[in-house]
Amino acid sequence: MKATQRTVRLDLTEPLRISRSTMSARDAVWLTIGHEGLYGHGEAVSSVYYGLDADRLGRLIAAVDLHRFTEPESALEALRAGELAGDTPPAVTAAVESALLDLVGRRTGTPVHRLLGAAAAPVAATARTIGICAPLHAAAEARRLAAAGFEVIKVKAGTPDPEDDIERVRVVRDAAPRARLLLDPNGAWTPTQADALLRRFADLGVEAVEQPLAPGDPETLGALAERSPLPVIADEDAVSLDDARRLAGRVHGVNVKLAKCGGVHAALRIAEAIEGSGTALMLGCLTASTLGLAPAVHLADRARWADLDGHLLLAHDPWTGIGGADGFVRASDLPGLGIEEVAREDVA
């Protein structure tokens, strides 16, 4: 097998502001693994939060020793057993696994969701994120999304003045009265603030809140969830399988991102660990292309909440194949991930 990679810039349609940062672009490293004339693809995106820039991602991907395997199936098995990627960051493991799954699926004529045990191609209503912005802009975005068919809208929160967040959610609710609303302060609140604010957001019809408290104290997060009028979903506090086990039964949901946990098989282990605990699965993502989102879409039917809109935030998505513009992401029955790279002239 031969592995190659290239780095591309993914520009957002508009800057996305959250409580801790504002992002207007992200670098992506694309991994391609070839074997006997067929190719599989994976993507890892840069992240300031996780300390991964494109150069480091490229070095770590190149260090994964794929050359000792004669076929992708054995490499994929070694990856599942923890014998291939070793101590590399989860984002790298997820990208390598994506490329191997895509290649194995193409070799066998099997879509990834069937390789993972699902008979039908998953379809899920995805949340669409509205960042921290002026109320007029938030209202206009909410109306546009509702008209396009989005049933779930996620509103970012965590501004210095919580009244700004209250107003943003209020105008979104007025503009899209039938939409299910999720709220995400990205850990910006203290427990005292959360106690006061969650009641007000519940009155505005918010369905659930992600990571209201700063990560690092899962006990306090669990205690908040116990008394919260809204379901509490752990995100930054739910990175690994051990994290999920620690939080199972303590919070109402865990947000599993493949780049955070290490890929689809790691996500499946988390889903198994929390099953029956009262803690539901949310599938989330980083801002990435369709290539980066596709593996999670093949799991989307297993989640209570799907937040798989990262590709929809881009000015130009270099890949196609999972949809989403109408509010629903869909895996296909094509072999592998079922996606294709868009011709360069089409995205220029």
Side-chain angles (χ1 to χ4, degrees), residues 11 315-318 342-348:
D11 292 309
H316 300 292
D317 185 354
V342 180
R344 286 181 180 271
E345 58 268 24
D346 292 340
V347 298

Side-chain angles (χ1 to χ4, degrees), residues 52 130 146 148 182 328:
L52 295 170
I130 295 177
L182 303 177
F328 291 83

Side-chain angles (χ1 to χ4, degrees), residues 25 40 47 107-109 115-116 118 131 136 141 200 210 235 304-305:
S47 170
R107 275 166 56 85
T108 60
L115 293 177
L116 301 175
L136 281 176
E141 274 293 281
R200 298 179 67 185
E210 287 183 60
D235 183 356
R304 176 176 172 183
W305 298 282

